[in-house]
Amino acid sequence: MTSPSPPDPAPVLDLLEAFRRSQAMFAALDLGAFDRLAAGPAALPELARDLGADPDALGRLLDACVALRLLRRDGPRYANAPPADAYLTSRSPLRLTGYARYSGAVLWQLWAHLADAAREGTHRWKQAFGLEGPIFDHFFKSDADRREFLMGMHGLGQISSPAVAAAFDLSHFRRLADLGGATGHLAVAACRRYPHLRAVVLDLPGVLPLARELVASSGVADRVELVAGDFFVDPLPEADLFVLGRILHDWAEDKVRRLLRSVYQRLPAGGALLVAEKLLDDDRAGPSLAVFQSLNMLVCTEGKERTLAEYEALLREAGFGRVQGRRTDAPLDAVLAVKE
Ligand SMILES: C[S@@+](CC[C@H](N)C(=O)[O-])C[C@H]1O[C@@H](n2cnc3c(N)ncnc32)[C@H](O)[C@@H]1O
């Protein structure tokens, strides 16, 4: 009798290697390889000299990046492939370098303690970095950390905000308030799409200098106001459309309830709240981006990702009447809740 053949090991083998692929990208970014190659293709000896790296080791790293399709090699010369040029170089308007650096330097260390996070159900800032206190204090330990984190949010926002602003017809709203709106990318995308819309972006004081810089060159700066404030403490701005983009997934349930309640109370009848988050499928087993973002929230925040039904329950409890969800092709989906 022949024994049954063993199951395909491919999923396990792939996951044994998966972190190596991410680390190769983080290391090449950290060494400055993509920025150096943005200036033009170059051969290994020249690159090793310019990047201050060991030639043999750098060659292996760059070849790994070729395998990852981040780089190309024509004969002896390496060059950036289009995704690296667009998303991994520090002068590109589409850059995700901030979030990539933050992932490599910070999230990587928090994820190293995922099993402990699952045991205890809490984030890992103290275990990985010895840090206690409110979560956003850790994101913003220094000006450089703050800028990196915000440029990361900005890069992802450039991809998702146009889709979120287009997910519903928002043309009848007059004044949008984006709470925790960071660099203003959603406010800018909405103002570009709706010519009569004005927007106010509220965020912590340290965020405003970079937000000012980026909004100034957006082409809609005359319609976007930037305000320093704490959405848990300060009176909310006047608006008929509030936005919470990647905010509800940061906080514990009691704070989420408090925030939704204050938004509801501040809105006029007919006003609405637009929530931008990645929605989990009803069975919570997908999509992959949402499932892994929820684990990411476990290691670095108090919050989690939710299904549309879970958001709807929270929004109705806060008082909202009509609640609709729309999936987009972008990294964030949209939920619109109307105060009737
Ligand atoms: C995960 S980021 C999301 C940023 C932006 N909405 C987006 O989708 O890219 C969370 C934002 O909330 C801001 N934030 C955190 N706590 C806040 C508070 N108490 N009041 C106002 N903003 C806050 C942070 O500064 C940060 O910009």
Side-chain angles (χ1 to χ4, degrees), residues 25-26 29 83-103 148-149 151-160 246 331:
M25 179 177 83
F26 298 149
L29 182 69
D85 251 341
Y87 301 114
L88 296 174
T89 55
S90 43
R91 295 222 173 140
S92 166
L94 298 174
R95 65 192 178 275
L96 293 174
T97 47
Y99 200 68
R101 286 184 204 286
Y102 174 74
S103 297
E148 280 296 272
F149 177 76
M151 280 317 297
M153 292 293 108
H154 189 71
L156 292 175
Q158 301 275 85
I159 298 172
S160 54
R246 282 181 293 191

Side-chain angles (χ1 to χ4, degrees), residues 323-338:
V323 178
Q324 290 170 275
R326 293 254 204 286
R327 290 201 184 269
T328 76
D329 293 333
L332 293 182
D333 301 312
V335 178
L336 190 71
V338 178

Side-chain angles (χ1 to χ4, degrees), residues 285-303:
S288 172
L289 201 63
V291 171
F292 287 95
Q293 183 67 326
S294 205
L295 275 185
N296 193 46
M297 292 298 108
L298 171 64
V299 298
C300 74
T301 72
E302 305 170 359

Side-chain angles (χ1 to χ4, degrees), residues 136 140 149-150 153 180-182 185 202-204 207 229-232 245-247 249-251:
F136 280 92
F140 295 168
F149 177 76
L150 290 171
M153 292 293 108
H185 53 78
L202 178 140
D203 210 304
L204 299 171
V207 174
D230 181 330
F231 50 55
F232 286 127
R246 282 181 293 191
I247 301 297
H249 77 172
D250 290 335
W251 301 103

Side-chain angles (χ1 to χ4, degrees), residues 253-293:
E253 201 106 330
D254 58 326
K255 292 183 190 159
V256 167
R257 289 201 164 92
R258 188 145 53 90
L259 189 54
L260 291 179
R261 192 79 206 147
S262 34
V263 167
Y264 180 82
Q265 282 165 352
R266 189 72 175 103
L267 277 170
L273 166 63
L274 179 65
V275 174
E277 298 281 4
K278 189 73 197 161
L279 293 174
L280 280 170
D281 291 342
D282 291 343
D283 67 2
R284 292 198 189 79
S288 172
L289 201 63
V291 171
F292 287 95
Q293 183 67 326

